[in-house]
Coordinates of all heavy atoms in Angstrom, one line a residue:
M578 N -31.0 -7.4 -15.4 CA -31.5 -6.1 -15.0 C -30.6 -5.0 -15.6 O -29.3 -5.1 -15.5 CB -31.5 -6.1 -13.5 CG -32.0 -4.8 -12.9 SD -32.1 -4.8 -11.1 CE -33.0 -6.2 -10.7
R579 N -31.2 -4.0 -16.1 CA -30.4 -2.9 -16.6 C -29.6 -2.1 -15.6 O -30.0 -2.1 -14.4 CB -31.3 -1.9 -17.4 CG -32.1 -2.6 -18.5 CD -32.9 -1.5 -19.3 NE -33.6 -2.1 -20.3 CZ -33.2 -2.2 -21.6 NH1 -32.0 -1.9 -21.9 NH2 -34.0 -2.8 -22.5
Q580 N -28.5 -1.6 -16.0 CA -27.6 -0.9 -15.1 C -28.2 0.3 -14.4 O -28.0 0.5 -13.2 CB -26.3 -0.4 -15.8 CG -25.4 -1.5 -16.3 CD -24.8 -2.3 -15.1 OE1 -25.5 -2.8 -14.2 NE2 -23.5 -2.3 -15.1
Y581 N -29.0 1.1 -15.1 CA -29.7 2.2 -14.4 C -30.7 1.8 -13.4 O -30.9 2.4 -12.4 CB -30.3 3.2 -15.4 CG -31.6 2.7 -16.1 CD1 -32.8 3.0 -15.5 CD2 -31.6 1.9 -17.2 CE1 -34.0 2.6 -16.1 CE2 -32.7 1.5 -17.8 CZ -33.9 1.8 -17.3 OH -35.1 1.4 -17.8
V582 N -31.3 0.6 -13.6 CA -32.2 0.1 -12.6 C -31.4 -0.4 -11.4 O -31.8 -0.1 -10.2 CB -33.1 -1.1 -13.2 CG1 -33.9 -1.8 -12.1 CG2 -33.9 -0.6 -14.3
K583 N -30.3 -1.1 -11.6 CA -29.5 -1.5 -10.5 C -29.0 -0.3 -9.7 O -29.0 -0.3 -8.4 CB -28.3 -2.3 -11.0 CG -28.6 -3.7 -11.5 CD -27.3 -4.3 -11.9 CE -27.5 -5.7 -12.4 NZ -26.3 -6.4 -12.7
K584 N -28.7 0.7 -10.4 CA -28.2 1.9 -9.7 C -29.3 2.5 -8.8 O -29.1 2.9 -7.7 CB -27.7 3.0 -10.7 CG -27.1 4.2 -10.1 CD -26.6 5.2 -11.1 CE -26.0 6.4 -10.4 NZ -25.7 7.5 -11.2
Q585 N -30.5 2.6 -9.4 CA -31.7 3.1 -8.6 C -31.9 2.3 -7.3 O -32.1 2.9 -6.2 CB -32.9 3.0 -9.4 CG -33.2 4.2 -10.4 CD -34.5 4.0 -11.0 OE1 -34.8 2.9 -11.7 NE2 -35.4 5.0 -10.9
I586 N -31.9 1.0 -7.5 CA -32.1 0.1 -6.3 C -31.0 0.3 -5.3 O -31.2 0.4 -4.1 CB -32.2 -1.3 -6.8 CG1 -33.4 -1.5 -7.7 CG2 -32.4 -2.3 -5.6 CD1 -34.7 -1.1 -7.2
K587 N -29.8 0.3 -5.8 CA -28.6 0.4 -4.8 C -28.7 1.7 -4.1 O -28.4 1.7 -2.9 CB -27.3 0.3 -5.6 CG -27.0 -1.1 -6.0 CD -25.7 -1.3 -6.7 CE -25.5 -2.7 -7.2 NZ -24.2 -2.9 -7.8
E588 N -29.0 2.8 -4.7 CA -29.2 4.1 -4.1 C -30.3 4.1 -3.0 O -30.1 4.6 -1.9 CB -29.4 5.2 -5.1 CG -28.2 5.5 -5.9 CD -28.5 6.5 -7.0 OE1 -29.7 6.9 -7.2 OE2 -27.5 6.8 -7.8
L589 N -31.3 3.4 -3.3 CA -32.4 3.3 -2.4 C -32.0 2.5 -1.2 O -32.4 2.8 0.0 CB -33.7 2.7 -3.1 CG -35.0 2.8 -2.5 CD1 -35.3 4.3 -2.1 CD2 -36.1 2.3 -3.4
L590 N -31.3 1.4 -1.4 CA -30.9 0.5 -0.3 C -29.9 1.2 0.6 O -29.9 1.1 1.8 CB -30.2 -0.8 -0.9 CG -31.2 -1.7 -1.6 CD1 -30.4 -2.8 -2.3 CD2 -32.2 -2.3 -0.6
I591 N -29.0 2.1 0.0 CA -28.1 2.9 0.8 C -28.9 3.8 1.7 O -28.5 4.0 2.9 CB -27.1 3.6 -0.1 CG1 -26.1 2.7 -0.8 CG2 -26.4 4.7 0.7 CD1 -25.3 3.3 -1.9
T592 N -29.9 4.4 1.1 CA -30.7 5.3 2.0 C -31.4 4.6 3.1 O -31.4 5.0 4.2 CB -31.8 6.0 1.1 OG1 -31.1 6.7 0.0 CG2 -32.6 6.9 1.9
L593 N -31.9 3.4 2.8 CA -32.6 2.6 3.8 C -31.6 2.2 4.9 O -31.9 2.3 6.1 CB -33.2 1.3 3.2 CG -34.4 1.5 2.3 CD1 -34.9 0.2 1.7 CD2 -35.6 2.1 3.1
R594 N -30.4 1.7 4.5 CA -29.4 1.4 5.5 C -29.0 2.5 6.4 O -28.8 2.4 7.6 CB -28.2 0.7 4.8 CG -28.5 -0.7 4.4 CD -27.2 -1.4 4.0 NE -26.5 -0.8 2.9 CZ -26.5 -1.3 1.6 NH1 -27.2 -2.4 1.3 NH2 -25.9 -0.6 0.7
S595 N -29.0 3.7 5.8 CA -28.5 4.9 6.6 C -29.5 5.3 7.6 O -29.1 5.8 8.7 CB -28.2 6.1 5.6 OG -29.4 6.6 5.1
V596 N -30.8 5.0 7.5 CA -31.8 5.4 8.5 C -32.0 4.3 9.5 O -32.6 4.6 10.6 CB -33.1 5.8 7.9 CG1 -33.0 6.9 7.0 CG2 -33.8 4.6 7.2
H597 N -31.4 3.1 9.3 CA -31.6 2.0 10.3 C -31.0 2.4 11.7 O -31.6 2.1 12.7 CB -31.0 0.7 9.9 CG -31.7 0.1 8.7 ND1 -31.1 -0.8 7.9 CD2 -33.0 0.3 8.2 CE1 -32.0 -1.2 7.0 NE2 -33.1 -0.5 7.2
A598 N -29.9 3.2 11.7 CA -29.3 3.6 13.0 C -30.2 4.5 13.8 O -30.2 4.5 15.0 CB -28.0 4.3 12.7
Y599 N -31.0 5.3 13.1 CA -31.9 6.2 13.7 C -33.1 5.5 14.4 O -33.7 6.1 15.3 CB -32.4 7.3 12.8 CG -31.3 8.1 12.3 CD1 -30.8 8.0 11.0 CD2 -30.7 9.1 13.1 CE1 -29.8 8.8 10.5 CE2 -29.6 9.9 12.6 CZ -29.2 9.7 11.3 OH -28.1 10.5 10.8
I600 N -33.5 4.4 13.9 CA -34.7 3.7 14.4 C -34.5 3.4 15.9 O -35.4 3.6 16.7 CB -35.0 2.4 13.6 CG1 -35.4 2.8 12.2 CG2 -36.0 1.6 14.3 CD1 -35.5 1.6 11.2
E601 N -33.3 2.9 16.2 CA -33.1 2.5 17.6 C -33.1 3.7 18.6 O -33.5 3.6 19.7 CB -31.8 1.7 17.8 CG -31.8 0.4 17.1 CD -30.4 -0.3 17.1 OE1 -29.4 0.4 16.8 OE2 -30.4 -1.5 17.4
K602 N -32.7 4.8 18.1 CA -32.5 6.0 18.9 C -33.8 6.9 19.0 O -33.9 7.7 19.9 CB -31.3 6.9 18.4 CG -30.0 6.2 18.4 CD -29.0 7.0 17.7 CE -27.7 6.2 17.6 NZ -26.7 6.9 16.8
A603 N -34.7 6.7 18.1 CA -35.8 7.6 18.0 C -36.9 7.3 19.0 O -37.0 6.1 19.5 CB -36.4 7.4 16.6
G604 N -37.7 8.3 19.3 CA -38.9 8.1 20.1 C -39.9 7.3 19.3 O -39.8 7.1 18.1
T605 N -41.0 7.0 20.0 CA -42.0 6.1 19.4 C -42.6 6.8 18.1 O -42.6 6.1 17.0 CB -43.1 5.8 20.3 OG1 -42.6 5.2 21.5 CG2 -44.2 4.9 19.7
D606 N -43.0 8.0 18.2 CA -43.6 8.6 17.0 C -42.6 8.8 15.8 O -42.9 8.5 14.7 CB -44.2 10.0 17.3 CG -45.4 9.9 18.2 OD1 -46.0 8.8 18.3 OD2 -45.7 10.9 18.9
E607 N -41.4 9.2 16.2 CA -40.4 9.4 15.2 C -40.0 8.0 14.6 O -39.8 7.9 13.4 CB -39.1 10.1 15.7 CG -38.1 10.4 14.7 CD -36.9 11.1 15.3 OE1 -36.8 11.2 16.5 OE2 -36.0 11.5 14.5
R608 N -39.9 7.0 15.4 CA -39.5 5.7 15.0 C -40.6 5.2 14.0 O -40.2 4.6 13.0 CB -39.4 4.7 16.2 CG -39.0 3.3 15.7 CD -39.1 2.3 16.9 NE -40.5 2.2 17.3 CZ -40.9 1.4 18.2 NH1 -40.0 0.7 18.9 NH2 -42.2 1.3 18.5
N609 N -41.8 5.3 14.3 CA -42.9 4.9 13.4 C -42.9 5.6 12.1 O -43.1 5.0 11.1 CB -44.2 5.0 14.1 CG -44.4 4.0 15.2 OD1 -43.7 2.9 15.3 ND2 -45.3 4.2 16.2
A610 N -42.5 6.9 12.1 CA -42.4 7.6 10.9 C -41.3 7.1 10.0 O -41.4 7.0 8.8 CB -42.2 9.1 11.2
I611 N -40.2 6.8 10.7 CA -39.0 6.2 10.0 C -39.4 4.9 9.4 O -39.0 4.6 8.2 CB -37.8 6.2 10.9 CG1 -37.3 7.6 11.3 CG2 -36.6 5.4 10.2 CD1 -36.3 7.6 12.4
L612 N -40.0 4.1 10.2 CA -40.4 2.7 9.7 C -41.3 2.8 8.5 O -41.2 2.1 7.5 CB -41.1 1.9 10.8 CG -40.2 1.5 12.0 CD1 -41.0 1.0 13.1 CD2 -39.1 0.6 11.6
T613 N -42.2 3.8 8.5 CA -43.1 4.0 7.4 C -42.4 4.4 6.2 O -42.6 3.9 5.1 CB -44.2 5.1 7.8 OG1 -45.0 4.6 8.9 CG2 -45.1 5.4 6.6
Q614 N -41.4 5.3 6.3 CA -40.6 5.7 5.2 C -39.8 4.5 4.6 O -39.6 4.4 3.4 CB -39.7 6.9 5.6 CG -40.4 8.1 5.8 CD -39.6 9.3 6.4 OE1 -38.4 9.0 6.8 NE2 -40.1 10.5 6.4
C615 N -39.3 3.7 5.5 CA -38.5 2.5 5.1 C -39.4 1.6 4.3 O -39.0 1.0 3.3 CB -37.9 1.8 6.3 SG -36.5 2.6 7.0
Q616 N -40.6 1.4 4.8 CA -41.6 0.5 4.1 C -41.9 1.1 2.7 O -41.9 0.4 1.7 CB -42.9 0.4 4.9 CG -43.8 -0.6 4.2 CD -45.1 -0.8 5.1 OE1 -45.5 0.0 5.8 NE2 -45.6 -2.0 4.9
E617 N -42.1 2.4 2.6 CA -42.4 3.0 1.3 C -41.2 2.8 0.4 O -41.4 2.6 -0.8 CB -42.7 4.5 1.5 CG -44.1 4.7 2.2 CD -44.3 6.2 2.6 OE1 -43.4 7.0 2.5 OE2 -45.4 6.4 3.1
G618 N -40.0 3.0 0.9 CA -38.8 2.8 0.1 C -38.7 1.3 -0.4 O -38.4 1.1 -1.6
A619 N -39.0 0.4 0.5 CA -38.9 -1.0 0.1 C -40.0 -1.4 -0.9 O -39.7 -2.1 -1.9 CB -39.1 -1.9 1.4
I620 N -41.1 -0.8 -0.8 CA -42.2 -1.1 -1.8 C -41.8 -0.5 -3.1 O -42.0 -1.1 -4.2 CB -43.6 -0.5 -1.3 CG1 -44.1 -1.3 -0.1 CG2 -44.6 -0.4 -2.4 CD1 -45.2 -0.7 0.7
K621 N -41.2 0.7 -3.1 CA -40.8 1.3 -4.3 C -39.7 0.5 -5.0 O -39.8 0.2 -6.2 CB -40.2 2.7 -4.1 CG -39.8 3.5 -5.3 CD -39.3 4.8 -5.0 CE -38.8 5.6 -6.2 NZ -38.3 6.9 -6.0
A622 N -38.7 0.0 -4.2 CA -37.7 -0.8 -4.8 C -38.3 -2.1 -5.3 O -37.9 -2.6 -6.4 CB -36.6 -1.2 -3.7
G623 N -39.2 -2.7 -4.6 CA -39.8 -4.0 -5.1 C -40.6 -3.8 -6.4 O -40.5 -4.6 -7.3
G624 N -41.2 -2.6 -6.5 CA -41.9 -2.3 -7.7 C -41.0 -2.1 -8.9 O -41.3 -2.6 -10.0
I625 N -39.9 -1.5 -8.7 CA -38.9 -1.3 -9.7 C -38.3 -2.6 -10.2 O -38.2 -2.9 -11.4 CB -37.8 -0.4 -9.3 CG1 -38.3 1.1 -9.1 CG2 -36.6 -0.4 -10.3 CD1 -37.3 2.0 -8.4
I626 N -38.0 -3.5 -9.2 CA -37.5 -4.8 -9.5 C -38.5 -5.7 -10.3 O -38.2 -6.3 -11.2 CB -37.0 -5.5 -8.3 CG1 -35.8 -4.8 -7.7 CG2 -36.6 -7.0 -8.6 CD1 -35.4 -5.2 -6.3
E627 N -39.8 -5.6 -9.8 CA -40.8 -6.4 -10.5 C -41.0 -6.0 -11.9 O -41.2 -6.8 -12.8 CB -42.1 -6.2 -9.7 CG -42.3 -7.1 -8.6 CD -43.7 -7.0 -8.0 OE1 -44.4 -6.0 -8.2 OE2 -44.1 -7.9 -7.2
Q628 N -40.9 -4.7 -12.2 CA -41.1 -4.2 -13.5 C -39.9 -4.7 -14.4 O -40.1 -5.0 -15.6 CB -41.1 -2.7 -13.6 CG -42.4 -2.1 -13.1 CD -42.4 -0.6 -13.1 OE1 -41.4 0.0 -13.3 NE2 -43.6 0.0 -12.9
S629 N -38.8 -4.8 -13.8 CA -37.6 -5.2 -14.6 C -37.4 -6.7 -14.7 O -37.1 -7.2 -15.8 CB -36.3 -4.6 -13.9 OG -35.2 -5.0 -14.6
E630 N -37.7 -7.4 -13.6 CA -37.3 -8.8 -13.5 C -38.5 -9.8 -13.4 O -38.4 -11.0 -13.5 CB -36.4 -9.1 -12.3 CG -35.1 -8.3 -12.4 CD -34.3 -8.7 -13.6 OE1 -34.0 -9.9 -13.7 OE2 -33.9 -7.8 -14.4
G631 N -39.7 -9.2 -13.1 CA -40.9 -10.0 -12.8 C -41.0 -10.3 -11.3 O -40.0 -10.1 -10.5
D632 N -42.2 -10.7 -10.8 CA -42.4 -10.9 -9.4 C -41.8 -12.1 -8.8 O -41.9 -12.3 -7.6 CB -43.9 -10.7 -9.1 CG -44.7 -11.9 -9.7 OD1 -44.2 -12.6 -10.6 OD2 -45.9 -12.0 -9.4
D633 N -41.2 -12.9 -9.6 CA -40.6 -14.2 -9.1 C -39.2 -14.0 -8.7 O -38.5 -14.9 -8.3 CB -40.7 -15.3 -10.1 CG -40.6 -16.7 -9.5 OD1 -41.0 -16.8 -8.3 OD2 -40.0 -17.6 -10.2
C634 N -38.7 -12.8 -8.7 CA -37.3 -12.5 -8.4 C -37.1 -12.6 -6.9 O -37.9 -12.1 -6.1 CB -36.9 -11.1 -8.9 SG -35.3 -10.6 -8.5
Q635 N -36.0 -13.2 -6.5 CA -35.7 -13.4 -5.0 C -35.6 -12.1 -4.3 O -36.1 -12.0 -3.1 CB -34.3 -14.1 -4.9 CG -33.9 -14.4 -3.5 CD -34.9 -15.3 -2.7 OE1 -35.6 -16.1 -3.3 NE2 -34.9 -15.2 -1.4
A636 N -35.1 -11.0 -4.9 CA -35.0 -9.7 -4.2 C -36.4 -9.2 -3.8 O -36.5 -8.6 -2.8 CB -34.3 -8.7 -5.1
V637 N -37.4 -9.5 -4.6 CA -38.7 -9.0 -4.3 C -39.2 -9.7 -3.1 O -39.8 -9.1 -2.2 CB -39.7 -9.2 -5.5 CG1 -41.1 -9.0 -5.1 CG2 -39.3 -8.4 -6.7
H638 N -39.0 -11.0 -3.0 CA -39.4 -11.8 -1.8 C -38.7 -11.3 -0.5 O -39.3 -11.2 0.5 CB -39.2 -13.3 -2.0 CG -40.0 -13.8 -3.2 ND1 -41.3 -13.8 -3.2 CD2 -39.6 -14.3 -4.4 CE1 -41.8 -14.4 -4.3 NE2 -40.7 -14.7 -5.1
V639 N -37.4 -11.0 -0.7 CA -36.6 -10.5 0.5 C -37.2 -9.1 0.9 O -37.3 -8.9 2.1 CB -35.1 -10.4 0.1 CG1 -34.4 -9.7 1.3 CG2 -34.5 -11.8 -0.2
L640 N -37.5 -8.3 0.0 CA -38.1 -7.0 0.3 C -39.5 -7.2 1.0 O -39.8 -6.4 1.9 CB -38.3 -6.1 -0.9 CG -36.9 -5.5 -1.4 CD1 -37.1 -4.9 -2.8 CD2 -36.4 -4.5 -0.4
E641 N -40.2 -8.2 0.6 CA -41.5 -8.5 1.3 C -41.2 -8.8 2.8 O -41.9 -8.4 3.7 CB -42.3 -9.6 0.6 CG -42.8 -9.1 -0.7 CD -43.4 -10.3 -1.6 OE1 -43.2 -11.5 -1.2 OE2 -44.0 -10.0 -2.6
K642 N -40.2 -9.7 3.0 CA -39.8 -10.0 4.4 C -39.3 -8.8 5.1 O -39.6 -8.7 6.3 CB -38.8 -11.1 4.3 CG -39.3 -12.4 3.8 CD -40.2 -13.1 4.7 CE -40.6 -14.5 4.3 NZ -41.6 -15.1 5.1
Y643 N -38.6 -7.9 4.4 CA -38.1 -6.7 5.0 C -39.3 -5.9 5.6 O -39.3 -5.4 6.7 CB -37.4 -5.9 4.0 CG -36.8 -4.5 4.4 CD1 -35.6 -4.4 5.0 CD2 -37.6 -3.4 4.2 CE1 -35.1 -3.2 5.4 CE2 -37.1 -2.2 4.6 CZ -35.9 -2.1 5.2 OH -35.4 -0.8 5.6
C644 N -40.4 -5.8 4.8 CA -41.6 -5.1 5.2 C -42.2 -5.7 6.5 O -42.7 -5.1 7.4 CB -42.6 -4.9 4.1 SG -42.1 -3.7 2.8
E645 N -42.2 -7.1 6.5 CA -42.7 -7.8 7.7 C -41.9 -7.5 8.9 O -42.4 -7.3 10.0 CB -42.7 -9.3 7.4 CG -43.8 -9.7 6.4 CD -43.7 -11.2 6.0 OE1 -43.0 -11.9 6.6 OE2 -44.3 -11.5 5.0
D646 N -40.5 -7.4 8.7 CA -39.6 -7.1 9.8 C -39.9 -5.7 10.3 O -39.8 -5.4 11.5 CB -38.2 -7.2 9.4 CG -37.8 -8.7 9.2 OD1 -38.5 -9.6 9.6 OD2 -36.7 -8.9 8.7
L647 N -40.2 -4.7 9.4 CA -40.5 -3.4 9.8 C -41.7 -3.4 10.7 O -41.7 -2.7 11.7 CB -40.7 -2.5 8.6 CG -39.5 -2.2 7.7 CD1 -40.0 -1.5 6.4 CD2 -38.6 -1.3 8.5
F648 N -42.7 -4.2 10.4 CA -43.9 -4.3 11.2 C -43.6 -4.8 12.6 O -44.0 -4.3 13.6 CB -45.0 -5.1 10.5 CG -46.2 -5.3 11.3 CD1 -47.2 -4.3 11.4 CD2 -46.4 -6.5 12.0 CE1 -48.3 -4.5 12.1 CE2 -47.5 -6.6 12.8 CZ -48.5 -5.6 12.9
D649 N -42.7 -5.9 12.6 CA -42.3 -6.5 13.8 C -41.6 -5.5 14.7 O -41.8 -5.4 15.9 CB -41.4 -7.7 13.6 CG -42.2 -8.9 13.0 OD1 -43.4 -8.9 13.1 OD2 -41.5 -9.8 12.5
I650 N -40.8 -4.6 14.1 CA -40.1 -3.6 14.9 C -41.1 -2.6 15.5 O -41.0 -2.2 16.6 CB -39.0 -3.0 14.1 CG1 -37.8 -4.0 13.8 CG2 -38.4 -1.7 14.8 CD1 -36.8 -3.5 12.8
A651 N -42.0 -2.2 14.7 CA -43.1 -1.3 15.1 C -43.8 -1.9 16.3 O -44.3 -1.2 17.2 CB -44.0 -1.0 14.0
Q652 N -44.0 -3.2 16.4 CA -44.6 -3.9 17.4 C -43.7 -4.3 18.6 O -44.1 -5.0 19.5 CB -45.3 -5.2 16.9 CG -46.3 -4.9 15.8 CD -47.5 -4.0 16.3 OE1 -48.0 -4.3 17.3 NE2 -47.8 -3.0 15.5
D653 N -42.4 -3.8 18.5 CA -41.4 -4.1 19.5 C -41.1 -5.6 19.6 O -40.7 -6.1 20.6 CB -41.8 -3.6 20.9 CG -41.8 -2.1 20.9 OD1 -40.9 -1.5 20.2 OD2 -42.6 -1.5 21.6
T654 N -41.2 -6.3 18.5 CA -40.9 -7.8 18.5 C -39.8 -8.1 17.4 O -39.5 -9.3 17.3 CB -42.2 -8.6 18.2 OG1 -42.7 -8.3 16.9 CG2 -43.2 -8.4 19.2
G655 N -39.3 -7.1 16.8 CA -38.2 -7.3 15.8 C -36.9 -6.7 16.1 O -36.8 -6.0 17.2
D656 N -35.9 -6.8 15.3 CA -34.6 -6.2 15.6 C -34.1 -5.6 14.3 O -34.4 -6.0 13.2 CB -33.6 -7.2 16.2 CG -33.3 -8.3 15.2 OD1 -34.0 -9.3 15.1 OD2 -32.2 -8.2 14.6
I657 N -33.2 -4.6 14.5 CA -32.6 -3.9 13.4 C -31.7 -4.7 12.5 O -31.6 -4.6 11.3 CB -31.9 -2.6 13.9 CG1 -32.8 -1.7 14.7 CG2 -31.2 -1.9 12.8 CD1 -33.9 -1.1 13.9
Y658 N -31.0 -5.7 13.2 CA -30.1 -6.5 12.5 C -30.7 -7.2 11.3 O -30.2 -7.3 10.2 CB -29.5 -7.5 13.4 CG -28.5 -8.5 12.7 CD1 -27.3 -8.1 12.3 CD2 -28.9 -9.8 12.4 CE1 -26.4 -8.9 11.6 CE2 -28.1 -10.7 11.8 CZ -26.8 -10.2 11.4 OH -26.0 -11.1 10.7
S659 N -32.0 -7.7 11.5 CA -32.7 -8.4 10.4 C -32.9 -7.5 9.2 O -32.8 -7.9 8.0 CB -34.0 -9.0 10.9 OG -34.9 -7.9 11.2
L660 N -33.1 -6.2 9.4 CA -33.3 -5.2 8.3 C -32.0 -5.1 7.6 O -32.0 -5.1 6.3 CB -33.7 -3.8 8.9 CG -35.1 -3.8 9.6 CD1 -35.3 -2.3 10.1 CD2 -36.2 -4.2 8.7
R661 N -30.9 -4.9 8.3 CA -29.6 -4.7 7.6 C -29.3 -6.0 6.8 O -28.8 -5.8 5.7 CB -28.6 -4.5 8.7 CG -28.7 -3.2 9.4 CD -27.7 -3.0 10.5 NE -27.9 -1.7 11.1 CZ -27.7 -1.5 12.4 NH1 -27.3 -2.5 13.2 NH2 -27.9 -0.3 12.9
K662 N -29.6 -7.1 7.4 CA -29.3 -8.4 6.7 C -30.1 -8.5 5.4 O -29.5 -8.9 4.3 CB -29.6 -9.5 7.6 CG -29.2 -10.9 7.1 CD -29.5 -11.9 8.2 CE -29.3 -13.3 7.6 NZ -29.6 -14.3 8.6
K663 N -31.3 -8.1 5.4 CA -32.1 -8.2 4.2 C -31.7 -7.2 3.1 O -31.7 -7.5 2.0 CB -33.6 -8.1 4.6 CG -34.1 -9.4 5.2 CD -35.5 -9.3 5.6 CE -36.0 -10.6 6.3 NZ -35.2 -11.0 7.5
C664 N -31.4 -6.0 3.6 CA -30.9 -5.0 2.6 C -29.6 -5.5 1.9 O -29.4 -5.4 0.7 CB -30.6 -3.7 3.3 SG -32.0 -2.6 3.5
R665 N -28.7 -6.1 2.7 CA -27.5 -6.7 2.1 C -27.9 -7.8 1.1 O -27.3 -7.9 0.0 CB -26.6 -7.2 3.2 CG -25.2 -7.6 2.8 CD -24.3 -7.9 3.9 NE -24.8 -8.4 5.1 CZ -25.0 -7.8 6.3 NH1 -24.7 -6.5 6.4 NH2 -25.6 -8.4 7.3
A666 N -28.8 -8.6 1.5 CA -29.2 -9.7 0.6 C -29.8 -9.2 -0.7 O -29.5 -9.8 -1.8 CB -30.2 -10.6 1.3
V667 N -30.6 -8.2 -0.7 CA -31.2 -7.6 -1.9 C -30.1 -7.0 -2.8 O -30.0 -7.2 -4.0 CB -32.2 -6.5 -1.6 CG1 -32.7 -5.8 -2.9 CG2 -33.4 -7.2 -0.9
S668 N -29.2 -6.3 -2.1 CA -28.0 -5.7 -2.9 C -27.2 -6.8 -3.6 O -26.8 -6.6 -4.7 CB -27.2 -4.9 -1.9 OG -26.1 -4.3 -2.6
E669 N -27.0 -7.9 -2.9 CA -26.2 -9.0 -3.5 C -27.0 -9.7 -4.6 O -26.4 -10.1 -5.6 CB -25.8 -10.0 -2.4 CG -24.8 -9.5 -1.4 CD -24.6 -10.4 -0.2 OE1 -25.2 -11.5 -0.2 OE2 -23.8 -10.1 0.6
D670 N -28.3 -9.8 -4.4 CA -29.1 -10.4 -5.4 C -29.2 -9.7 -6.7 O -29.3 -10.3 -7.8 CB -30.5 -10.7 -4.9 CG -31.3 -11.6 -5.8 OD1 -30.9 -12.7 -6.1 OD2 -32.5 -11.2 -6.1
I671 N -29.1 -8.3 -6.7 CA -29.3 -7.6 -7.9 C -28.0 -7.4 -8.6 O -27.9 -6.8 -9.7 CB -30.0 -6.2 -7.7 CG1 -29.1 -5.3 -6.8 CG2 -31.4 -6.4 -7.2 CD1 -29.6 -3.9 -6.7
N672 N -26.9 -7.8 -8.1 CA -25.6 -7.7 -8.8 C -25.4 -8.6 -9.9 O -26.0 -9.5 -10.2 CB -24.4 -7.9 -7.8 CG -24.1 -6.6 -7.1 OD1 -24.3 -5.5 -7.6 ND2 -23.7 -6.7 -5.8

């Protein structure tokens, strides 16, 4: 993966991680808006990785699971820790 692509993904992951703390504190409407933005960011990151590495890349699969976790949190059946863990896994995978 090219360095500028890695940099783009890492910046996006930093942004995602920074908003995770707000999810727990937000009201329902605000939380859902944040979750939607996180999902959009994860989809964008996945698209960038797919273009660079192909869709068989582990990071793409982790981001898909991340989106599933976002849905679970929206349904009050998931936890923030799983989001943080997946962001860390993607970051490690693209190094």
Side-chain angles (χ1 to χ4, degrees):
M578 184 179 302
R579 297 185 183 270
Q580 290 294 56
Y581 74 92
V582 173
K583 285 184 182 183
K584 184 178 179 190
Q585 277 184 303
I586 301 299
K587 287 181 181 183
E588 289 173 359
L589 197 51
L590 292 171
I591 288 168
T592 302
L593 289 175
R594 285 192 297 255
S595 70
V596 298
H597 290 163
Y599 297 106
I600 293 171
E601 294 175 312
K602 299 173 187 173
T605 303
D606 290 339
E607 186 180 8
R608 180 187 68 177
N609 289 338
I611 293 169
L612 293 171
T613 299
Q614 291 173 348
C615 287
Q616 183 177 30
E617 290 168 355
I620 290 169
K621 181 178 180 180
I625 293 168
I626 294 169
E627 275 185 345
Q628 286 178 348
S629 175
E630 302 296 306
D632 63 350
D633 199 32
C634 181
Q635 181 62 26
V637 172
H638 298 297
V639 174
L640 286 168
E641 290 169 351
K642 294 289 187 186
Y643 177 88
C644 288
E645 291 173 12
D646 288 350
L647 290 170
F648 178 79
D649 290 343
I650 290 170
Q652 301 299 313
D653 291 326
T654 60
D656 65 278
I657 301 299
Y658 177 74
S659 65
L660 298 178
R661 293 178 181 143
K662 185 176 174 182
K663 286 180 178 63
C664 277
R665 190 171 33 256
V667 171
S668 185
E669 291 170 0
D670 190 51
I671 64 170
N672 276 330

